[in-house]
Amino acid sequence: MATDVLISDGDLIAKLVPKDKDEVQENLDNQENPIVKPLVLTISAYQDGVLRLKIDEDQSLSPSKKRFEVPDVIVPEFLNKKLWLQKLKTEKSEDGLGILSVIYLSDGYEGVIRHDPFEVFVRESGKNGKKMLSLNSNGLFDFEQLREQKGENEDWEERFRSHTDTRPYGPQSISFDVSFYDADFVYGIPEHATSLALKPTRGPGVEDSEPYRHFNLDVFEYIADSPFGLYGSIPFMISHGKSHGSSGFFWLNAAEMQIDVLGTGWNDEFSSVLMLPSDQKRVDTLWMSEAGVVDAFFFVGPGPKDVVRQYTSVTGTPAMPQLFAIAYHQCRWNYRDEEDVYNVDAKFDEHDIPYDVLWLDIEHTDGKKYFTWDRLLFPNPEEMQKKLAAKGRHMVTIVDPHIKRDESYYIHKEASQKGYYVKDATGKDYDGWCWPGSSSYLDMVNPEIRSWWAEKFSYENYVGSTPSLHIWNDMNEPSVFNGPEVSMPRDALHHDDVEHRELHNAYGYYFHMATSDGLVKRGDGKDRPFVLSRAFFPGSQRYGAIWTGDNSAEWDHLRVSVPMVLTLGLTGISFSGADVGGFFGNPDTELLVRWYQVGAYYPFFRGHAHHDTKRREPWLFGERNTELMREAIRVRYMLLPYFYTLFREANMSGIPVARPLWMEFPDDEQTFSNDEAFMVGNSLLVQGIYTEKAKHVSVYLPGDQSWYDLRTGTAYKGGVTHKLEASEDSVPAFQRAGTILPRKDRFRRSSTQMENDPYTLVIALNSSQAAEGWLYVDDGKSFEFQQGAYIHRHFMYSDGKLTSSNMATAGSGSKKFASECIVERIILLGFYPGPKNALIEPANEKVDIELGPLLLRGGRGSSVITIRKPNVRIADDWTIKIL
Amino acid sequence: MKKIRLQNVLLFLCIIFIRGISRSASLTPEDSLIGVAPADETYYKGWSSSGTINCKDGFKKFNKSQLNDDFCDCLDGSDEPGTSACPNGKFYCKNAGHVPLFIYSSRVNDGICDCCDGSDEYDGTIKCPNTCWEAGKVARGKLKKKIAMYEEGVTIRKGDVERAKLSIAKEEAELSKLKDEEKILDGLVRQLKEHKEQIEKAEEKERLQKVQEEKEAEAKVEESKAEVNDEDIEQMKSDINVKIDILSPPPQDALEDHYESVSKPEVSDHTGIEGFPSHGVEQMKEDLLQNAKQKEAESMVDGKADLETRNQEEDVLEDTESLSREELGRLVASRWTGEKTEQQTEEIDASKDDTHPNPDEIPNDTHDEEYNGYDSEDDEERYDDDESEDQVDDFAEEEHNDFSDKPESDDESDLSDMTSTGNPSWLEKIQQTVRSMLQAVNLFQTPVNTSEAAHVRKEYDESSAKLSKIQSRISSLEQKLKHDLGQEKEFYSFYGQCFETKQNKYVYKICPFKQATQVEGHSTTRLGSWEKFEDSYKVMQFSNGDKCWNGPDRSLKVKLRCGLTNEISDIDEPSRCEYLVLLSTPALCLEDKLKELRDKLETMNKEQPQGHDEL
């Protein structure tokens, strides 16, 4: 129960003590282990409907150790949004028995603490306001306090296979239950290869399921449907239901966590002690962590986008990538040498397939010593990068966190001299095994070490690097081949004596952060960095892209990649994708082609393959398949203006590029558990094809507006499941009526050469002959957009008029971005033919309207109404009137 | 009207402008034929009366203002030969001084110089210097060198092809001749064999006769043991059953050896002689049993020896069915009459000791030799090459063979003793010898004339050895001729050759029609066995090599290209365990290609800009 509830320094604070007097007495009687000490609870309110709850041991009672709080995740701007609580409202609970303390949270929402039994919840304002989400409604809160070892009899050591965890601080776990009200489903908590809507792990009808685990691991050949934890962890869950909408819960904690989703009726066998209101539909969840503190955030929503906005206001919005980074990446373990690189590069040109980035995996190094080159294979890395850069292409090299223990390796030498490595339980540099053999791991939680690491990316330090070189962080869970569960022992020691168990899930995050900072530093802070990481944690979105790790060339893995990417997007990590083709194994050609067709819509689009697999560059499977893969890649390039606009939207609001259908259609129940299809932005719906030789594909098109086939322009009714013929040319994709899609229809070697190419606008009219869309453009690489150097347009079509207006807030910055780009073509879908001309204002010029193709490639689609050569500049305000 | 004419003039000027001067940064694409190949110029002059041209795909048309107006009207790009507006378009760069080139329209005005004359970058974003003359000079130099090489290569190839054709014709002739000879020789060998066997039978009969006589002498004593005998027979029956079980499939040890060598002509198919059905196991069992019944217990103690004698006797009995036991006994005995009684006992003893009745005549060795055919040392040396060819597909034995680059040139001398055409036919000689010999030997002469018998045996051995040789030669020739040696048999010389190269620690060995290996020290990894030519004889494919750990079976592709010698120029492993080899060889120096190169050079020379001297 909570006692001493009061407002202090703008927060609500209270003490938590065991409820039961007997229990207290028991504690008092237990001489060896004196009273369970009271815990300190703090509740704060932040702007935009974020409630923060902290529970920790009372530092004034000098616990044996300060529990770890994860630093550098919450963005400073968030802390500035704190509401200074002035007053506490006290009321009686519904049943009249308990006392509730109520604080203001945001317009329409309140934070409530029930004193006894202790419960924290968020409700709609007012005494009878509906509960939205709560903590400890089921009374499962437990907090193992740090204590002294009970003599020598108590053995805290734990053994796992050949590994021993000394556990010097003993048990310190925390658990509690969280309930989401009016929720049909819960989502989030990546990374698991599972469905988008999280299946219950306990309760009636659930057999032998393990909880969803959060413990970053390098999982070899993971399976496509399992709650097992993969490479990253984000303890953020979002609920959604038809009647209320969405709410979210985030626990900032980096220790191993297990989360159960409890199926309805999970607690039927217990009589409900707490007498929860049973009329409200709800999803209960149980959260458990091995260590750390309670630092939890409640997000009130009420819409899915609101929840994501609120979450990213805490952990930061996704970084704005350079334009090239959202184009196509070609990777393989390994492109062996410079000749290989040149050949692959040349083949893309030969087949007129655009690509932007060529990747080099671990074999490019001298003995897996990162920042070095195998000079036999890559004698002239700078020249190589420059040659590719001359075609506007970039390269990526891999830099992993395991440092080869080789005295002649400067990184190792410095790191060991400076004491920058993670220590083992005895205090010596931890020595594990990874690609280079015996390796040590930099202690990236320490800002000093991060800053030292970042320096290693300067052009002087990273010999052979050029501005077109970017970085890939792999194995940063960390992966330790000879460690427990292929990772680092939990009793390894970090900076400030933090045990590895306390920060394990954040290790890769700090590494990613340090690398990303390094790329910013090297260019004098001018260019946006690109760093791909496998491990992730809340906040990783600020540092680069994430991919779903070492998947397999199987249809199941193509299938599960979609919910995985969507889940990452929901939890802030908008820039993500799965390895196209599947990392392990050889995809058959059809699977590879389908994967390109789906992968072209992943926010991060990269083909990658294991070194035991056959080569699978797009031109190796016969002319027809080359054509199909080229077309898939070209679709991505065609849509780059749209994607880039979406990345900017994500950068501003946290709303992901790839979205579950229910994010756009929160009232359409049919979408809630659909994870075969997804939205790219608000305008495009993509339905994957996940089976071999599919003849048909069923697509549910939500909403009451029509949808236009992206390839043919054919209109389909909304709110209906359509059974379509599966075409080998593409997976089904549709533009939503009422939207305007900016495209570029010319293809170049890479996105770089598309800079000055003209645009096409595709206007899909809704039933009231209206539509709107956006276009964001900047220089594609620098940070100047932050000073206002960008073009952001809003296109609005209504009453037979298309208007382009400026979205950029006036005087938003000191820098300007200029573009001479024009719109060469405007396509109208769902428009009644007839008019022959359009008038451009203010230029007062007449242009032709004619029938033209929807796409300039891939055969003759149906003819669509086209405004020919309006040639209006995207930077300008203008109106085009259909005459 | 005036207007149109003016436009035509302008158009004409434009063409001259483009053709005469390589490039101009200020060129606007409108109304110009930029990006149009000379072959297409007529198409772009074909304005209809309404001032339009149909797109090449025929689905739309465009008017003059739409030609190169940087807006894609024809999906095939025909209205935009000079801009990047149509994704399916091609842009023609004239590249005077070098070779003309079609580039993807996506390269037009993309800020990268693709045409050496710079004509693809005309929007002023960048300035592309005209490098055609310099590049062309280099290219022409290279081309000239290449042509020179091709010229030489074509000659070499011609010679090779001619030689190959001759060799093949020779080999084919040889093959058909050998086949004829084989037929005849086979007949002779059979005759000889029959003859030899008859002699042997006769000898055996003589021997048995002696034995019989001796035994008869002891008959009375033995009779008392008859009952015990029956039991032994039963015992033996089961013994034999066991033995046969163990020995099946077809017994090949001493039991069979003896059985065959004495009683049956050729059961083993190692000698390649057909037409002698091998004796079924059941039959053998029966024979044994029958014989056993007629035999004394004493001689049954040693199964193997008995078996032998009994079979012999059985055969004898079969041959002389019409005779009574006594008559037969006398008949056979008569052969030995008056000769070496002591030896008879010895023979029986010997047979009991499981040795040959007459080691001089059919020694074990002889039999082994028959088994191994022509594997004697002599032959091995001589047939070295043939051997390896025989085993093209038999890699199990590969290691025994020293299979090196030794070209297979002295094939013909191999069988010179038999095939050399100049000499009077050896075959005829043999035929004569055999004929006369067969006439001379009197089968029924008793005792057998030992010198004649030896003569027959010797002749038989020699002839069958020769037959084996011929047969092996036939099979090796057939193997060779069966292979796809190229359209003009230009890969004839590859047969039996290996190409080697060393890269880092590995030695790669490519043996066409056979296999490819990678050798590191003492360990050899098979990268693949010969599969076929691919891509119209430009690629040799080797597949199903050793399995890669956690990967596919290794495989190797050899890309062939024209060169003056057979030489590996590069080895690569683009995907793990998939190897790629570049091999230059005159076999790929094709005349068509040479002609193509010459034409190309001619065009290049023609395309030299007029005003070059001024540059």
Side-chain angles (χ1 to χ4, degrees), chain B residues 12 37 49 63 104 119 139 206 227 231 247 285 292 294 349 376 395 430 439 447 452 461 472 487 520 542 567 572:
Chain B
F12 181 69
S49 53
N63 59 36
Y104 292 117
S119 56
E206 278 179 24
E227 274 174 35
E231 278 170 33
L247 292 174
K285 256 159 91 178
Q294 297 160 8
D349 288 340
S376 74
F395 295 110
I430 294 184
Q439 279 161 5
E452 273 176 12
D461 290 347
S472 97
Q487 271 172 324
E520 184 193 6
F542 294 80
E567 205 175 344
D572 197 7

mmCIF file of all heavy atoms in Angstrom, chain B residues 12 37 49 63 104 119 139 206 227 231 247 285 292 294 349 376 395 430 439 447 452 461 472 487 520 542 567 572:
data_model
loop_
_atom_site.group_PDB
_atom_site.id
_atom_site.type_symbol
_atom_site.label_atom_id
_atom_site.label_comp_id
_atom_site.label_asym_id
_atom_site.label_seq_id
_atom_site.Cartn_x
_atom_site.Cartn_y
_atom_site.Cartn_z
ATOM 1 N N PHE B 12 18.123 20.215 -90.675
ATOM 2 C CA PHE B 12 19.272 19.808 -91.433
ATOM 3 C C PHE B 12 20.551 20.406 -90.850
ATOM 4 O O PHE B 12 21.550 19.715 -90.648
ATOM 5 C CB PHE B 12 19.071 20.262 -92.892
ATOM 6 C CG PHE B 12 20.198 19.857 -93.783
ATOM 7 C CD1 PHE B 12 20.398 18.503 -94.094
ATOM 8 C CD2 PHE B 12 21.060 20.814 -94.333
ATOM 9 C CE1 PHE B 12 21.447 18.135 -94.920
ATOM 10 C CE2 PHE B 12 22.101 20.424 -95.157
ATOM 11 C CZ PHE B 12 22.303 19.094 -95.455
ATOM 12 N N ALA B 37 20.353 7.360 -83.715
ATOM 13 C CA ALA B 37 21.362 6.631 -84.469
ATOM 14 C C ALA B 37 21.160 6.884 -85.958
ATOM 15 O O ALA B 37 20.029 7.106 -86.397
ATOM 16 C CB ALA B 37 21.251 5.144 -84.176
ATOM 17 N N SER B 49 1.424 13.466 -93.041
ATOM 18 C CA SER B 49 0.866 14.717 -93.538
ATOM 19 C C SER B 49 0.301 15.550 -92.389
ATOM 20 O O SER B 49 0.301 16.771 -92.433
ATOM 21 C CB SER B 49 -0.246 14.406 -94.554
ATOM 22 O OG SER B 49 -1.169 13.524 -93.956
ATOM 23 N N ASN B 63 3.996 14.461 -82.267
ATOM 24 C CA ASN B 63 4.243 15.473 -83.291
ATOM 25 C C ASN B 63 5.616 16.102 -83.078
ATOM 26 O O ASN B 63 6.335 15.739 -82.144
ATOM 27 C CB ASN B 63 3.115 16.524 -83.280
ATOM 28 C CG ASN B 63 3.020 17.204 -81.923
ATOM 29 O OD1 ASN B 63 4.039 17.439 -81.264
ATOM 30 N ND2 ASN B 63 1.804 17.505 -81.499
ATOM 31 N N TYR B 104 21.662 3.778 -71.988
ATOM 32 C CA TYR B 104 20.310 3.893 -71.448
ATOM 33 C C TYR B 104 19.945 5.368 -71.331
ATOM 34 O O TYR B 104 20.789 6.195 -70.966
ATOM 35 C CB TYR B 104 20.232 3.265 -70.054
ATOM 36 C CG TYR B 104 20.385 1.772 -70.049
ATOM 37 C CD1 TYR B 104 21.464 1.171 -69.404
ATOM 38 C CD2 TYR B 104 19.430 0.956 -70.653
ATOM 39 C CE1 TYR B 104 21.599 -0.210 -69.372
ATOM 40 C CE2 TYR B 104 19.559 -0.424 -70.620
ATOM 41 C CZ TYR B 104 20.643 -1.005 -69.991
ATOM 42 O OH TYR B 104 20.765 -2.363 -69.963
ATOM 43 N N SER B 119 28.237 13.798 -75.480
ATOM 44 C CA SER B 119 26.950 14.229 -76.009
ATOM 45 C C SER B 119 25.783 13.901 -75.078
ATOM 46 O O SER B 119 24.691 14.431 -75.233
ATOM 47 C CB SER B 119 26.714 13.598 -77.386
ATOM 48 O OG SER B 119 26.796 12.192 -77.304
ATOM 49 N N ALA B 139 41.808 2.409 -77.760
ATOM 50 C CA ALA B 139 40.930 1.284 -78.083
ATOM 51 C C ALA B 139 41.316 0.650 -79.403
ATOM 52 O O ALA B 139 41.331 -0.570 -79.540
ATOM 53 C CB ALA B 139 39.479 1.752 -78.125
ATOM 54 N N GLU B 206 42.693 -88.711 -68.142
ATOM 55 C CA GLU B 206 43.831 -89.584 -67.929
ATOM 56 C C GLU B 206 44.163 -89.679 -66.459
ATOM 57 O O GLU B 206 44.366 -90.751 -65.912
ATOM 58 C CB GLU B 206 45.064 -89.030 -68.650
ATOM 59 C CG GLU B 206 45.113 -89.389 -70.125
ATOM 60 C CD GLU B 206 46.345 -88.793 -70.804
ATOM 61 O OE1 GLU B 206 47.338 -88.534 -70.082
ATOM 62 O OE2 GLU B 206 46.293 -88.576 -72.015
ATOM 63 N N GLU B 227 28.129 -96.503 -44.855
ATOM 64 C CA GLU B 227 27.038 -95.916 -44.090
ATOM 65 C C GLU B 227 27.415 -94.588 -43.464
ATOM 66 O O GLU B 227 26.643 -93.633 -43.495
ATOM 67 C CB GLU B 227 26.590 -96.889 -42.999
ATOM 68 C CG GLU B 227 25.558 -97.870 -43.536
ATOM 69 C CD GLU B 227 25.215 -98.923 -42.524
ATOM 70 O OE1 GLU B 227 25.189 -98.589 -41.320
ATOM 71 O OE2 GLU B 227 25.005 -100.062 -42.927
ATOM 72 N N GLU B 231 26.056 -90.084 -43.780
ATOM 73 C CA GLU B 231 25.962 -89.001 -42.810
ATOM 74 C C GLU B 231 26.852 -87.824 -43.205
ATOM 75 O O GLU B 231 26.471 -86.664 -43.149
ATOM 76 C CB GLU B 231 26.391 -89.488 -41.420
ATOM 77 C CG GLU B 231 25.271 -90.208 -40.715
ATOM 78 C CD GLU B 231 25.763 -90.886 -39.458
ATOM 79 O OE1 GLU B 231 26.683 -90.333 -38.823
ATOM 80 O OE2 GLU B 231 25.235 -91.965 -39.146
ATOM 81 N N LEU B 247 29.291 -67.152 -49.744
ATOM 82 C CA LEU B 247 29.924 -66.736 -50.984
ATOM 83 C C LEU B 247 29.037 -65.923 -51.906
ATOM 84 O O LEU B 247 29.521 -65.181 -52.730
ATOM 85 C CB LEU B 247 30.423 -67.960 -51.741
ATOM 86 C CG LEU B 247 31.571 -68.665 -51.058
ATOM 87 C CD1 LEU B 247 31.884 -69.937 -51.794
ATOM 88 C CD2 LEU B 247 32.775 -67.759 -50.966
ATOM 89 N N LYS B 285 25.510 -76.785 -56.430
ATOM 90 C CA LYS B 285 25.159 -77.565 -55.253
ATOM 91 C C LYS B 285 24.794 -78.997 -55.650
ATOM 92 O O LYS B 285 25.245 -79.973 -55.058
ATOM 93 C CB LYS B 285 23.939 -76.932 -54.556
ATOM 94 C CG LYS B 285 24.319 -76.176 -53.315
ATOM 95 C CD LYS B 285 23.251 -75.166 -52.961
ATOM 96 C CE LYS B 285 22.217 -75.760 -52.027
ATOM 97 N NZ LYS B 285 21.209 -74.723 -51.675
ATOM 98 N N ALA B 292 29.256 -86.302 -54.650
ATOM 99 C CA ALA B 292 29.575 -86.762 -53.306
ATOM 100 C C ALA B 292 29.081 -88.178 -53.092
ATOM 101 O O ALA B 292 29.761 -89.004 -52.477
ATOM 102 C CB ALA B 292 28.950 -85.832 -52.288
ATOM 103 N N GLN B 294 28.887 -90.473 -55.054
ATOM 104 C CA GLN B 294 29.683 -91.487 -55.721
ATOM 105 C C GLN B 294 31.104 -91.559 -55.189
ATOM 106 O O GLN B 294 31.953 -92.203 -55.746
ATOM 107 C CB GLN B 294 29.709 -91.189 -57.223
ATOM 108 C CG GLN B 294 28.330 -91.271 -57.821
ATOM 109 C CD GLN B 294 28.262 -90.543 -59.124
ATOM 110 O OE1 GLN B 294 29.279 -90.102 -59.633
ATOM 111 N NE2 GLN B 294 27.059 -90.432 -59.672
ATOM 112 N N ASP B 349 47.229 -86.425 -53.927
ATOM 113 C CA ASP B 349 47.664 -85.765 -52.696
ATOM 114 C C ASP B 349 47.607 -84.254 -52.841
ATOM 115 O O ASP B 349 47.144 -83.533 -51.978
ATOM 116 C CB ASP B 349 49.092 -86.177 -52.346
ATOM 117 C CG ASP B 349 49.110 -87.620 -51.852
ATOM 118 O OD1 ASP B 349 48.010 -88.109 -51.445
ATOM 119 O OD2 ASP B 349 50.179 -88.214 -51.878
ATOM 120 N N SER B 376 49.139 -56.394 -66.410
ATOM 121 C CA SER B 376 50.536 -56.696 -66.133
ATOM 122 C C SER B 376 51.360 -55.428 -66.294
ATOM 123 O O SER B 376 50.944 -54.470 -66.921
ATOM 124 C CB SER B 376 51.039 -57.759 -67.099
ATOM 125 O OG SER B 376 51.208 -57.176 -68.367
ATOM 126 N N PHE B 395 36.795 -42.234 -60.424
ATOM 127 C CA PHE B 395 37.755 -41.449 -59.677
ATOM 128 C C PHE B 395 38.339 -42.186 -58.490
ATOM 129 O O PHE B 395 39.318 -41.775 -57.926
ATOM 130 C CB PHE B 395 37.119 -40.152 -59.226
ATOM 131 C CG PHE B 395 36.771 -39.306 -60.387
ATOM 132 C CD1 PHE B 395 35.446 -39.097 -60.719
ATOM 133 C CD2 PHE B 395 37.767 -38.781 -61.188
ATOM 134 C CE1 PHE B 395 35.135 -38.336 -61.814
ATOM 135 C CE2 PHE B 395 37.449 -38.014 -62.278
ATOM 136 C CZ PHE B 395 36.127 -37.799 -62.599
ATOM 137 N N ILE B 430 48.332 -65.165 -86.901
ATOM 138 C CA ILE B 430 47.727 -65.919 -85.801
ATOM 139 C C ILE B 430 46.724 -66.916 -86.341
ATOM 140 O O ILE B 430 46.705 -68.083 -85.960
ATOM 141 C CB ILE B 430 47.023 -64.976 -84.814
ATOM 142 C CG1 ILE B 430 48.070 -64.108 -84.129
ATOM 143 C CG2 ILE B 430 46.217 -65.744 -83.778
ATOM 144 C CD1 ILE B 430 47.522 -63.223 -83.070
ATOM 145 N N GLN B 439 44.694 -78.243 -86.517
ATOM 146 C CA GLN B 439 44.716 -79.437 -87.340
ATOM 147 C C GLN B 439 45.682 -80.458 -86.777
ATOM 148 O O GLN B 439 45.423 -81.653 -86.765
ATOM 149 C CB GLN B 439 45.122 -79.074 -88.769
ATOM 150 C CG GLN B 439 43.932 -78.525 -89.547
ATOM 151 C CD GLN B 439 44.371 -77.737 -90.768
ATOM 152 O OE1 GLN B 439 45.568 -77.681 -91.087
ATOM 153 N NE2 GLN B 439 43.411 -77.155 -91.441
ATOM 154 N N PRO B 447 48.398 -90.960 -74.877
ATOM 155 C CA PRO B 447 48.223 -89.780 -74.020
ATOM 156 C C PRO B 447 48.370 -88.477 -74.784
ATOM 157 O O PRO B 447 48.902 -88.479 -75.891
ATOM 158 C CB PRO B 447 49.358 -89.939 -73.015
ATOM 159 C CG PRO B 447 50.438 -90.660 -73.774
ATOM 160 C CD PRO B 447 49.717 -91.602 -74.697
ATOM 161 N N GLU B 452 52.294 -80.316 -77.703
ATOM 162 C CA GLU B 452 51.209 -79.682 -78.473
ATOM 163 C C GLU B 452 50.241 -78.965 -77.556
ATOM 164 O O GLU B 452 49.771 -77.865 -77.826
ATOM 165 C CB GLU B 452 50.462 -80.749 -79.287
ATOM 166 C CG GLU B 452 51.117 -80.977 -80.636
ATOM 167 C CD GLU B 452 50.444 -82.110 -81.403
ATOM 168 O OE1 GLU B 452 49.347 -82.532 -80.959
ATOM 169 O OE2 GLU B 452 51.005 -82.540 -82.404
ATOM 170 N N ASP B 461 46.759 -68.241 -74.546
ATOM 171 C CA ASP B 461 47.082 -67.135 -73.636
ATOM 172 C C ASP B 461 47.439 -65.880 -74.397
ATOM 173 O O ASP B 461 46.966 -64.786 -74.108
ATOM 174 C CB ASP B 461 48.252 -67.526 -72.722
ATOM 175 C CG ASP B 461 47.825 -68.585 -71.717
ATOM 176 O OD1 ASP B 461 46.577 -68.790 -71.592
ATOM 177 O OD2 ASP B 461 48.710 -69.197 -71.097
ATOM 178 N N SER B 472 40.377 -53.304 -74.959
ATOM 179 C CA SER B 472 40.553 -52.108 -74.136
ATOM 180 C C SER B 472 40.808 -50.898 -75.016
ATOM 181 O O SER B 472 40.330 -49.805 -74.759
ATOM 182 C CB SER B 472 41.675 -52.324 -73.121
ATOM 183 O OG SER B 472 42.870 -51.779 -73.607
ATOM 184 N N GLN B 487 32.273 -28.203 -82.162
ATOM 185 C CA GLN B 487 31.579 -28.230 -83.448
ATOM 186 C C GLN B 487 32.512 -28.654 -84.571
ATOM 187 O O GLN B 487 32.113 -29.347 -85.486
ATOM 188 C CB GLN B 487 30.998 -26.848 -83.748
ATOM 189 C CG GLN B 487 29.607 -26.710 -83.173
ATOM 190 C CD GLN B 487 29.097 -25.295 -83.280
ATOM 191 O OE1 GLN B 487 29.858 -24.338 -83.138
ATOM 192 N NE2 GLN B 487 27.807 -25.169 -83.521
ATOM 193 N N GLU B 520 46.212 -28.836 -52.424
ATOM 194 C CA GLU B 520 46.955 -28.070 -51.431
ATOM 195 C C GLU B 520 47.830 -29.075 -50.706
ATOM 196 O O GLU B 520 47.331 -29.891 -49.931
ATOM 197 C CB GLU B 520 46.004 -27.386 -50.457
ATOM 198 C CG GLU B 520 46.743 -26.509 -49.473
ATOM 199 C CD GLU B 520 45.843 -26.084 -48.313
ATOM 200 O OE1 GLU B 520 44.700 -26.561 -48.236
ATOM 201 O OE2 GLU B 520 46.322 -25.306 -47.474
ATOM 202 N N PHE B 542 32.013 -28.036 -64.985
ATOM 203 C CA PHE B 542 32.345 -29.181 -64.133
ATOM 204 C C PHE B 542 31.419 -29.114 -62.930
ATOM 205 O O PHE B 542 31.295 -28.057 -62.325
ATOM 206 C CB PHE B 542 33.794 -29.114 -63.639
ATOM 207 C CG PHE B 542 34.829 -29.258 -64.725
ATOM 208 C CD1 PHE B 542 35.152 -28.187 -65.529
ATOM 209 C CD2 PHE B 542 35.474 -30.472 -64.931
ATOM 210 C CE1 PHE B 542 36.110 -28.301 -66.537
ATOM 211 C CE2 PHE B 542 36.427 -30.605 -65.926
ATOM 212 C CZ PHE B 542 36.742 -29.510 -66.735
ATOM 213 N N GLU B 567 45.976 -21.737 -71.755
ATOM 214 C CA GLU B 567 46.568 -21.186 -70.550
ATOM 215 C C GLU B 567 45.480 -20.648 -69.633
ATOM 216 O O GLU B 567 44.562 -19.956 -70.084
ATOM 217 C CB GLU B 567 47.494 -20.029 -70.944
ATOM 218 C CG GLU B 567 48.583 -19.775 -69.957
ATOM 219 C CD GLU B 567 49.527 -18.697 -70.459
ATOM 220 O OE1 GLU B 567 49.502 -18.369 -71.670
ATOM 221 O OE2 GLU B 567 50.266 -18.179 -69.639
ATOM 222 N N ASP B 572 38.777 -17.794 -59.835
ATOM 223 C CA ASP B 572 37.989 -16.974 -58.934
ATOM 224 C C ASP B 572 36.937 -17.862 -58.266
ATOM 225 O O ASP B 572 36.598 -18.921 -58.785
ATOM 226 C CB ASP B 572 37.299 -15.883 -59.773
ATOM 227 C CG ASP B 572 36.810 -14.765 -58.901
ATOM 228 O OD1 ASP B 572 37.123 -14.769 -57.696
ATOM 229 O OD2 ASP B 572 36.116 -13.885 -59.421
#
